[in-house]
């Protein structure tokens, strides 16, 4: 059997990283992984903007993640109700409580998945 194409390894990496990120960001929602990927993507994008010190607006976020603005707004409100995000005068950011929880997360599984995929892509 020939080795799988590189796209296969990238797809597997994306799935594994998404699952690991979901376990880290929403461990209490494991059974609903598939239906939560849009929330996860939006939450991750807001987290990135928070780390960069720039709250992000729904309009900019919609462009960044490639989703309709109305969908992004609904997901932002859901994440706000869950206490993951908070709205500021300048846009959305990850809540201080969530930032503290994420700072104590174990990211070894994600790092291992990246290393493993990188090794497979080198072949």
């Amino acid at each position: 059997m020939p080795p799988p194409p590189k796209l296969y390894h990238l797809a597997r990496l994306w799935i594994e990283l998404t699952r690991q990120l979901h376990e880290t960001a929403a461990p209490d929602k494991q059974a609903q992984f598939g239906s939560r990927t849009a929330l996860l993507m939006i939450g991750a994008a807001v987290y990135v903007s928070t780390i960069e010190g720039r709250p992000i607006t729904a309009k900019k976020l919609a462009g960044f993640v490639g989703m309709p603005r109305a969908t992004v707004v609904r997901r932002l409100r859901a994440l706000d109700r869950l206490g993951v995000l908070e709205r500021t005068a300048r846009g959305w950011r990850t809540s201080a409580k969530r930032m503290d929880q994420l700072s104590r997360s174990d990211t070894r599984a994600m790092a291992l998945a990246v290393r493993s995929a990188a090794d497979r892509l080198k072949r």
Side-chain angles (χ1 to χ4, degrees):
M1 185 164 134
K6 290 187 178 190
L7 181 59
Y8 165 83
H9 295 297
L10 292 172
R12 292 283 311 236
L13 175 62
W14 179 76
I15 292 167
E16 183 59 30
L17 287 175
T18 303
R19 286 182 188 275
Q20 291 297 324
L21 186 58
H22 187 264
E23 283 180 25
T24 301
D28 55 331
K29 306 288 187 210
Q30 283 308 117
Q32 301 164 354
F33 168 73
S35 64
R36 303 271 182 187
T37 54
L39 283 176
L40 185 60
M41 182 181 289
I42 290 168
V46 173
Y47 173 76
V48 167
S49 71
T50 301
I51 293 296
E52 292 174 351
R54 301 177 298 167
I56 192 166
T57 65
K59 181 179 178 180
K60 286 183 182 177
L61 186 57
F64 183 63
V65 299
M67 291 181 197
R69 185 181 175 282
T71 301
V72 168
V73 168
R74 283 193 305 276
R75 300 299 193 271
L76 286 168
R77 289 179 181 153
L79 290 166
D80 185 24
R81 285 190 301 274
L82 292 170
V84 174
L85 304 180
E86 57 193 20
R87 192 172 191 168
T88 70
R90 294 178 42 219
W92 292 88
R93 68 183 185 138
T94 305
S95 69
K97 178 182 177 185
R98 195 70 187 128
M99 291 294 286
D100 181 54
Q101 291 169 337
L102 291 171
S103 71
R104 290 185 265 123
S105 299
D106 184 1
T107 57
R108 285 180 286 204
M110 282 189 264
L112 181 61
V114 169
R115 273 190 235 110
S116 178
D119 290 344
R120 288 190 301 271
L121 288 169
K122 287 178 188 175
R123 295 180 205 157

